[in-house]
Amino acid sequence: VPRLSSHLRIAILGNQQELGNWDINKPLLLSCSQNSPLWKCSLDIKSLVFPVEYKYGIYDTKKEALITLEAGKNRYIPAPQTDEDHFKLISYDEAFNYPMGKWKGAGVAVPVFSLRSKNSCGVGEFYDLLPFISWATQVGIKMVQLLPINETIASHNWLDSYPYKSISVMALHPIYMNLEKMGKLNNAEQMEAFEERRVELNMETHVNYLEVLKLKSHYYKLLYDQEKDHFFENKDYISFFTKNKEWLIPYAAFAYLRDKMNNPDFRQWAEHSSYDEIAIQKISSPSAKEWDDIAIHYFIQYHLDKQLKEISEYARKNGIVLKGDIPIGISPNSVDAWTEPHLFNFNGQAGAPPDDFAIKGQNWGFPTYNWEAMAREEYKWWKKRLHKMADYFDAYRIDHILGFFRIWEIPKDALDGLLGHFSPALPMTRQEIENYGIHFDYNRFTQPYIKHHIIQSLFWDQTEEVIEKYLINNNDGTYSLKKEFNSQLKVNQYFLSTNQEENLKNPEREIRDGLMELITNVLFLQTGKNEFHPRITLHNTSSFAELDDFTKSQLSKIYYQFYYQRHDDFWHHQAMNKLPQIIEASNMLVCGEDLGMVPHCVAPLMKQLNILSLEIQRMSKDPKQHFGHPANAPYLSVCSTSTHDMSTIRGWWEEDKVIIQEFYNKILGQQGQAPYYAEPEICIQIINQHLYSPAMWAVFPIQDLIAMDGNLRWDKTQLEQINNPSNVRHKWRFRMNQSIEELLNAKDFNQLVRNLIDTSGRNTDF
């Protein structure tokens, strides 16, 4: 029986005197070793009257009482068939029949940076998790799920707020440090100035990312100068450094060189553009002139590690699962790319194909993995990464688990995801395509299809200007892009050569975006001499629209076979070569984010490896259904109302009234017109559907939980969305409108959440 809290024991009640004769006040308690969930007891067989009937139960040592018995029929041991006078009878049982069925829990998802407390510094910090965990315990929540917390500082601008583009998969982000817990400055005037600025930043509605980081960096430098003469003799620090120096020294040197060169792109560094361990050890020596600029990062990481471990221990002590998040990629300008470039492919960019939330796909800008090189090293890089995560977390979410089957790879000269292709993949040959009975017209199929009416539909009164400046007339009714504008990268660089993205105005922006759309107006992408991939969503192109009906029909068959049949076995083997070895590196519960264009092979493989899937109600995995229903979620899953990449329940309710009307009538079972807003009663009903799901975990964004309380929730609904995937320059700055102190004191709201969780059976210790 593996799922018991420390104060609970297994007991037996049965039809024997030694088994209490079914008296719940006289159970026989079993014993269990510390390292095994196997519970045992022994009886004198001479005292038994056969047949023996019994049930297992759970005994609470705090209450000194039997608190539950198994459901179902009694267990049964017949009389032993033997003539021996002396013998041993062994009965071995499995699968405790829990009265409430399989164990289920409720969780809450919140980025650390979004937490707000009276003690934080304009951004959520690790120590804000202490009162937040206390709140979760108070309402019966068993899991707190976070976004990635690794270091992302690259360019010292707003792009660094993106938590999925880490510059180190080991180092923690300095923005999450609590300054007071780190140590106080001896200079009273400086402390007073910092406190004054902290209060100012903490009053802001959103995270002022740059100003918070600026303030904290200044504090770190002053405190380091104050403490450095005795800090490095600290036994706890020495232990931390010894355990982590393999990654800590390169990381600290990278951070120093990044700031010295004012550039995170190590390829442009003069002396250290290629990682040289001997050279890095030399500048990292205490006798080197660079020592203080490097060692300050040891100092910062030591304190971050110390603070987060305290939070982790507090969570475990209170029965709360802390769940981390593993991004699928890393920054191309990162310490991992610098020290182990052989593990990555830098000739492409990882992203995602188009979906309802990003119609042009997503370009994350990550290098793709060199899985062959990782396999030769027995996935050592991944295993070390998971070992480090296990210091803090008991569960983790694999961001975009589909990337272990195949990744959406985008050429370096493309900006959006429409020109990407799956890798690894089985591209088609010209002969295969022609076997469908169509002539493979290379220029027509693989080059941008540009005609005058297409140009006019995009640029209107700018048409002639665009033709003259950016296009070549082929004198056959078609146009081509001039060489200096024949890729999305070239077009973008041209328009941003004298402008920042946010300052680009119309009509320049419209022309830039229109040219990029022309570039994507192709039917096949070529990746080798005779290797072709159908362009994703080719049916939406004007190039496809102007084909004859037969060619359209055959291309549709090619498209379906390529994207939904051709690769299933191939991608299954790709994932099975990686995932078992990687997930076995720790004892953490593994959850996979399996949303998007999901191959048929994914669900069976995840079930086989006991990886929990992610079930989102508004993202049905059945293409025939607009919505998934929580009641249909598998047990090995995390069921949720939304993710950080989506609008909240309330935001979604206001986006598309046709969709919401269908949801209101079919999924919520309500008659008549759907309310204009997602009123608290609507949100309660949606939350309840998820709580009663068969899924092991029902995890809710904090915004969706608070939406159930009309007095507590924020009136600025649209500002509660954490990320907009279609905007690569999105600022990750959402802060809860409510402080944690307010949550702790919100009696009516907390009672509501507690009642819903208790009634659904998601707040049990077994």
Side-chain angles (χ1 to χ4, degrees):
V1 185
R3 69 185 209 213
L4 288 181
S5 300
S6 58
H7 67 286
L8 301 178
R9 291 179 65 178
I10 290 296
I12 292 183
L13 210 62
N15 65 345
Q16 310 289 317
Q17 183 174 347
E18 290 82 354
L19 303 182
N21 281 325
W22 297 112
D23 185 343
I24 62 170
N25 296 313
K26 298 178 181 180
L28 174 67
L29 302 185
L30 279 65
S31 59
C32 178
S33 67
Q34 187 174 1
N35 298 318
S36 170
L38 186 63
W39 293 82
K40 302 178 181 179
C41 73
S42 60
L43 299 172
D44 183 353
I45 202 167
K46 295 177 182 178
S47 66
L48 300 180
V49 178
F50 290 96
V52 177
E53 293 189 38
Y54 63 100
K55 282 184 175 180
Y56 292 106
I58 296 176
Y59 185 86
D60 190 326
T61 58
K62 292 180 180 178
K63 298 179 180 178
E64 296 185 345
L66 192 70
I67 57 175
T68 190
L69 271 179
E70 287 185 292
K73 296 180 180 179
N74 295 340
R75 296 179 186 265
Y76 181 85
I77 300 176
Q81 301 298 312
T82 178
D83 296 328
E84 299 291 332
D85 291 331
H86 301 283
F87 61 91
K88 180 183 291 186
L89 176 64
I90 298 175
S91 179
Y92 182 85
D93 291 318
E94 292 182 335
F96 187 92
N97 294 320
Y98 294 93
M100 300 190 73
K102 296 176 179 177
W103 183 90
K104 299 189 295 183
V108 60
V110 62
V112 175
F113 62 77
S114 296
L115 295 171
R116 179 189 294 273
S117 80
K118 64 181 182 181
N119 296 318
S120 49
C121 182
V123 66
E125 300 170 342
F126 288 148
Y127 265 96
D128 290 327
L129 285 166
L130 283 176
F132 192 76
I133 288 168
S134 296
W135 170 78
T137 305
Q138 179 179 319
V139 299
I141 282 172
K142 301 286 188 181
M143 174 186 281
V144 174
Q145 177 175 315
L146 308 176
L147 290 188
I149 54 173
N150 291 106
E151 154 85 281
T152 60
I153 301 170
S155 305
H156 296 280
N157 59 33
W158 267 102
L159 292 177
D160 295 344
S161 69
Y162 179 30
Y164 285 89
K165 201 170 187 178
S166 61
I167 67 156
S168 169
V169 298
M170 301 296 227
L172 300 172
H173 203 303
I175 204 167
Y176 298 128
M177 186 91 77
N178 180 281
L179 300 181
E180 185 176 358
K181 293 288 185 179
M182 187 183 188
K184 292 186 177 181
L185 300 175
N186 294 333
N187 187 308
E189 289 186 8
Q190 289 178 335
M191 275 305 299
E192 186 176 343
F194 273 105
E195 176 62 14
E196 185 178 320
R197 184 63 177 140
R198 182 194 72 80
V199 172
E200 289 176 359
L201 289 169
N202 213 29
M203 292 176 66
E204 295 199 21
T205 302
H206 294 96
V207 177
N208 193 334
Y209 183 85
L210 297 179
E211 287 300 312
V212 169
L213 208 51
K214 179 181 175 182
L215 179 71
K216 292 196 173 189
S217 296
H218 187 200
Y219 192 95
Y220 300 152
K221 180 67 170 68
L222 292 174
L223 189 64
Y224 173 81
D225 290 341
Q226 175 183 297
E227 305 287 332
K228 66 180 181 180
D229 290 341
H230 57 83
F231 171 77
F232 295 102
E233 299 172 2
N234 181 300
K235 289 184 179 179
D236 287 343
Y237 163 74
I238 293 171
S239 175
F240 166 78
F241 182 82
T242 302
K243 182 181 178 181
N244 295 281
K245 63 182 179 182
E246 182 182 355
W247 66 264
L248 186 58
I249 293 174
Y251 159 73
F254 180 91
Y256 156 68
L257 291 166
R258 168 201 66 196
D259 295 341
K260 178 186 177 184
M261 307 294 183
N262 197 29
N263 188 349
D265 187 353
F266 55 85
R267 300 159 195 84
Q268 297 183 34
W269 300 346
E271 185 180 355
H272 298 287
S273 58
S274 294
Y275 178 72
D276 182 333
E277 185 176 359
I278 295 175
I280 294 305
Q281 291 286 352
K282 184 177 179 181
I283 67 171
S284 302
S285 166
S287 60
K289 69 179 187 299
E290 299 92 346
W291 166 251
D292 281 333
D293 292 327
I294 290 175
I296 189 173
H297 298 287
Y298 305 159
F299 178 71
I300 293 169
Q301 288 298 315
Y302 163 77
H303 282 288
L304 286 165
D305 177 81
K306 182 180 179 182
Q307 292 190 8
L308 185 53
K309 279 183 175 171
E310 184 178 335
I311 304 306
S312 180
E313 290 169 8
Y314 182 77
R316 287 166 179 158
K317 182 180 177 181
N318 284 275
I320 297 292
V321 175
L322 269 190
K323 180 180 176 183
D325 196 325
I326 293 188
I328 188 60
I330 61 163
S331 170
N333 303 324
S334 64
V335 62
D336 300 275
W338 182 48
T339 57
E340 301 190 82
H342 65 291
L343 298 180
F344 308 95
N345 299 316
F346 297 100
N347 55 357
Q349 309 167 89
D355 57 29
D356 291 342
F357 305 98
I359 59 173
K360 294 185 178 181
Q362 298 177 54
N363 183 350
W364 302 323
F366 307 149
T368 57
Y369 293 119
N370 183 344
W371 288 112
E372 292 78 11
M374 288 184 165
R376 287 193 293 271
E377 297 183 3
E378 297 181 332
Y379 303 100
K380 180 175 66 176
W381 182 81
W382 280 99
K383 292 175 181 178
K384 288 188 293 186
R385 188 178 182 182
L386 286 171
H387 290 159
K388 185 62 180 172
M389 279 202 75
D391 285 347
Y392 315 118
F393 300 107
D394 292 309
Y396 65 94
R397 168 189 180 271
I398 301 178
D399 170 50
H400 195 64
I401 196 172
L402 304 181
F404 289 84
F405 295 78
R406 77 292 186 271
I407 198 71
W408 190 248
E409 188 170 85
I410 301 165
K412 292 292 286 185
D413 63 358
L415 294 187
D416 62 40
L418 291 174
L419 295 177
H421 64 276
F422 285 124
S423 177
L426 304 170
M428 301 184 74
T429 64
R430 179 194 294 257
Q431 292 74 23
E432 278 187 281
I433 296 168
E434 290 189 335
N435 284 343
Y436 281 81
I438 55 178
H439 169 62
F440 189 87
D441 184 334
Y442 180 84
N443 285 332
R444 178 68 178 84
F445 282 6
T446 68
Q447 301 304 305
Y449 180 70
I450 307 174
K451 304 196 81 171
H452 193 277
H453 66 278
I454 295 174
I455 303 169
Q456 196 167 33
S457 68
L458 287 171
F459 302 104
W460 296 98
D461 55 349
Q462 305 287 331
T463 296
E464 297 309 316
E465 176 189 341
V466 167
I467 291 174
E468 182 179 350
K469 192 169 185 178
Y470 305 103
L471 302 176
I472 299 170
N473 190 335
N474 297 324
N475 297 317
D476 61 357
T478 68
Y479 295 81
S480 302
L481 289 136
K482 291 181 178 178
K483 185 177 181 180
E484 57 268 37
F485 303 110
N486 64 359
S487 76
Q488 289 187 330
L489 181 63
K490 289 179 182 178
V491 168
N492 199 50
Q493 287 176 339
Y494 172 79
F495 281 91
L496 297 184
S497 59
T498 58
N499 243 325
Q500 294 293 322
E501 174 69 32
E502 46 272 9
N503 297 327
L504 190 63
K505 307 295 183 184
N506 290 334
E508 286 79 9
R509 180 181 293 277
E510 291 175 345
I511 293 175
R512 190 270 310 264
D513 294 348
L515 290 173
M516 287 191 182
E517 187 170 337
L518 286 179
I519 291 168
T520 66
N521 197 25
V522 297
L523 300 174
F524 284 89
L525 307 173
Q526 185 171 7
T527 56
K529 185 177 181 180
N530 191 22
E531 297 180 348
F532 302 93
H533 301 244
R535 204 215 81 173
I536 192 75
T537 61
L538 62 80
H539 300 87
N540 298 337
T541 66
S542 55
S543 179
F544 181 85
E546 299 195 8
L547 294 169
D548 62 85
D549 289 344
F550 176 76
T551 304
K552 285 182 183 178
S553 172
Q554 297 309 97
L555 285 185
S556 295
K557 292 177 183 177
I558 289 172
Y559 187 91
Y560 181 82
Q561 194 277 336
F562 185 87
Y563 280 109
Y564 298 104
Q565 295 177 336
R566 185 180 181 91
H567 295 93
D568 243 27
D569 289 341
F570 178 68
W571 285 337
H572 171 87
H573 290 299
Q574 296 295 319
M576 281 301 291
N577 289 338
K578 308 159 191 167
L579 281 172
Q581 297 188 58
I582 292 171
I583 64 177
E584 287 172 7
S586 80
N587 289 324
M588 292 183 286
L589 177 71
V590 189
C591 308
E593 184 268 291
D594 56 337
L595 304 178
M597 198 172 178
V598 185
H600 297 303
C601 61
V602 172
L605 187 144
M606 289 178 66
K607 183 177 181 180
Q608 179 183 348
L609 298 179
N610 291 322
I611 300 174
L612 275 62
S613 64
L614 178 59
E615 309 297 324
I616 302 293
Q617 189 169 34
R618 72 183 88 159
M619 288 190 71
S620 173
K621 291 178 179 176
D622 181 351
K624 297 178 182 178
Q625 302 292 332
H626 280 166
F627 315 105
H629 199 293
N632 297 324
Y635 177 65
L636 291 180
S637 70
V638 176
C639 189
S640 188
T641 49
S642 58
T643 75
H644 61 274
D645 284 331
M646 302 176 185
S647 50
T648 61
I649 289 175
R650 295 166 63 207
W652 176 60
W653 200 268
E654 297 172 23
E655 289 172 0
D656 188 329
K657 290 303 176 184
V658 174
I659 288 290
I660 291 304
Q661 187 63 51
E662 180 184 353
F663 178 84
Y664 182 72
N665 297 140
K666 291 185 177 180
I667 303 300
L668 296 186
Q670 301 287 352
Q671 300 296 316
Q673 187 73 25
Y676 187 83
Y677 297 108
E679 303 295 351
E681 293 75 16
I682 294 288
C683 299
I684 290 172
Q685 189 174 353
I686 294 172
I687 296 292
N688 240 342
Q689 280 190 343
H690 289 72
L691 287 171
Y692 281 92
S693 161
M696 179 187 290
W697 287 101
V699 179
F700 307 99
I702 186 64
Q703 307 97 300
D704 287 351
L705 286 179
I706 292 174
M708 296 189 296
D709 189 306
N711 296 320
L712 197 61
R713 63 190 197 173
W714 197 16
D715 58 359
K716 294 181 171 57
T717 305
Q718 303 304 328
L719 296 183
E720 289 190 317
Q721 185 167 340
I722 294 168
N723 180 39
N724 178 5
S726 63
N727 179 8
V728 296
R729 300 181 71 84
H730 175 78
K731 296 178 179 179
W732 295 67
R733 59 179 188 164
F734 167 71
R735 289 187 82 194
M736 291 173 58
N737 189 51
Q738 309 78 9
S739 69
I740 304 171
E741 291 82 7
E742 288 178 83
L743 273 186
L744 283 165
N745 292 318
K747 292 182 180 179
D748 292 343
F749 170 67
N750 292 339
Q751 190 61 53
L752 170 65
V753 176
R754 179 84 188 208
N755 288 344
L756 293 176
I757 292 175
D758 286 353
T759 306
S760 67
R762 289 188 178 269
N763 185 22
T764 63
D765 287 330
F766 50 84

